[in-house]
Amino acid sequence: MEASRQMRFSVILNRHGGTLRTLDVDDLAARIANTLEQAGHEVSTHIVEGKGIVDAIEEAVSGECDVVMVGGGDGTVSCAAGKLKDSDKVLAILPAGTMNLFARSLRIPLDLDEAVEVFAQGEVREVDLASANDRIFVHQFSIGLHAKLIRLREKDNFDSRLGKMWASVRAGFRAFFSPPRMKIGLTLDEGEERLMATAGVGVTNNLFGEGHLPYADEPDRGVLGVYVTRTRRKRDMVWLALNMLLGRWKSNQQVDVHEARTVTLRLLSRHERFGCAMDGELCDLETETVLHIHPRALKVLTPPPEA
């Protein structure tokens, strides 16, 4: 389905979400409305703060719009995706986070104004979602190393996208040179449980592509990517970090890579010591987590093929 026909857009901007906190959000909302209306679409804009984002998304989902456009960080996108799962409404993602990995997977331009221009003439595509104990995520669920990095980063002070990136670098050095130690049980699909010691596990919505930042090249392949860190030695952690930055997964000897449709992750160490992260947000970790892929469960607005 193409967006060249007239569509009704409900635009929801989280004033304090992602990079929007550093922008004139009212001016951005006006530019969005102008671009979409010039293309013949109907637009309603809603600027919200904090927990108001949930109410605004739920109201849009229950309303008569065709497209719900959200602007904010990863938490905002995940919230919207969970509300729109298996619905007839379409999600348009304004890339206002730090890394915008899900938006990159969908080939959405990272410039906000360019993204809106694409949405005005884009196409609707069905892509996959994933869940951890029934909680939806669009990019990644992780325990151990990545969750520790986020926890350390959140202790830092930053008020911009660049500041957050530098805080991530500093936290990364600390996490990689003092990695966590966990014992886990891992079951892929209907296979036998494998017991192992690791510094971290990541389960992703489709496998990461090669040679770039960690995001999926095929967001509708219908599998979970499972990444298990093999090493806990500090010298090997340097190679792990370098390979991750360069997007080397197939040749990365520090990580075992698997794919499955269902993953059961059982933590044999004290789970309260570690916590988990979903789409960059820290969450409580349960002793057992069951993860599923939900093929083509989300309709998204993406660039037209010629773009």
Side-chain angles (χ1 to χ4, degrees):
M1 181 170 62
E2 296 182 356
S4 54
R5 70 178 179 86
Q6 185 184 54
M7 302 181 78
R8 295 163 295 183
F9 281 75
S10 178
V11 180
I12 303 170
L13 304 177
N14 184 357
R15 187 184 296 275
H16 299 306
T19 59
L20 296 188
R21 71 184 72 180
T22 64
L23 302 179
D24 184 336
V25 180
D26 297 285
D27 179 66
L28 174 63
R31 299 201 310 270
I32 292 172
N34 181 63
T35 298
L36 294 176
E37 287 171 353
Q38 284 190 348
H41 304 296
E42 297 180 15
V43 185
S44 61
T45 59
H46 314 271
I47 300 174
V48 298
E49 300 179 10
K51 295 182 178 179
I53 189 71
V54 177
D55 295 334
I57 292 172
E58 289 180 344
E59 183 176 347
V61 171
S62 63
E64 297 183 353
C65 69
D66 301 303
V67 180
V68 180
M69 182 186 297
V70 296
D74 294 330
T76 301
V77 173
S78 294
C79 175
K83 301 295 183 183
L84 289 167
K85 177 179 178 290
D86 295 324
S87 78
D88 60 349
K89 289 183 169 52
V90 180
L91 176 63
I93 301 171
L94 274 180
T98 304
M99 302 302 292
N100 302 303
L101 296 171
F102 192 52
R104 291 174 189 267
S105 184
L106 302 178
R107 306 294 190 267
I108 296 171
L110 300 184
D111 179 85
L112 299 183
D113 291 300
E114 290 181 14
V116 176
E117 291 176 4
V118 162
F119 294 148
Q121 303 296 331
E123 69 170 8
V124 177
R125 179 181 178 185
E126 293 180 342
V127 297
D128 304 336
L129 290 174
S131 64
N133 286 353
D134 298 324
R135 179 171 175 177
I136 292 295
F137 63 94
V138 297
H139 177 60
Q140 178 177 252
F141 166 92
S142 60
I143 63 172
L145 192 62
H146 183 233
K148 181 176 182 178
L149 185 156
I150 295 173
R151 186 166 59 252
L152 292 172
R153 183 191 66 198
E154 296 304 308
K155 294 180 180 179
D156 212 335
N157 293 317
F158 52 85
D159 55 6
S160 67
R161 179 174 182 268
L162 183 60
K164 186 175 182 179
M165 293 175 68
W166 277 114
S168 296
V169 171
R170 291 191 294 269
F173 274 110
R174 295 171 62 189
F176 275 86
F177 283 99
S178 182
R181 297 175 179 269
M182 304 180 299
K183 293 182 180 180
I184 65 166
L186 183 67
T187 305
L188 305 180
D189 293 326
E190 301 301 322
E192 295 184 358
E193 183 181 54
R194 287 178 279 183
L195 305 181
M196 58 188 72
T198 180
V201 179
V203 181
T204 62
N205 180 16
N206 287 291
L207 289 160
F208 292 152
E210 290 285 313
H212 53 62
L213 290 172
Y215 61 82
D217 288 333
E218 300 178 75
D220 55 2
R221 191 180 166 201
V223 297
L224 298 170
V226 184
Y227 299 82
V228 182
T229 304
R230 296 178 58 184
T231 182
R232 292 179 294 169
R233 296 187 301 180
K234 292 181 180 179
R235 65 181 183 182
D236 291 332
M237 283 291 171
V238 175
W239 288 110
L240 171 63
L242 179 61
N243 284 327
M244 290 173 63
L245 288 172
L246 296 176
R248 294 174 180 165
W249 301 105
K250 295 179 181 178
S251 61
N252 192 338
Q253 298 180 359
Q254 289 77 39
V255 176
D256 285 330
V257 182
H258 311 275
E259 62 179 74
R261 293 181 180 275
T262 300
V263 175
T264 301
L265 181 61
R266 193 163 61 93
L267 196 61
L268 305 178
S269 306
R270 291 176 54 191
H271 69 278
E272 63 270 14
R273 292 175 51 201
F274 298 103
C276 68
M278 278 196 281
D279 290 339
E281 302 285 335
L282 291 174
C283 308
D284 292 332
L285 176 63
E286 299 179 51
T287 303
E288 182 174 286
T289 303
V290 181
L291 302 107
H292 297 281
I293 191 73
H294 303 273
R296 301 180 184 272
L298 178 69
K299 294 179 177 67
V300 291
L301 205 53
T302 61
E306 61 270 20

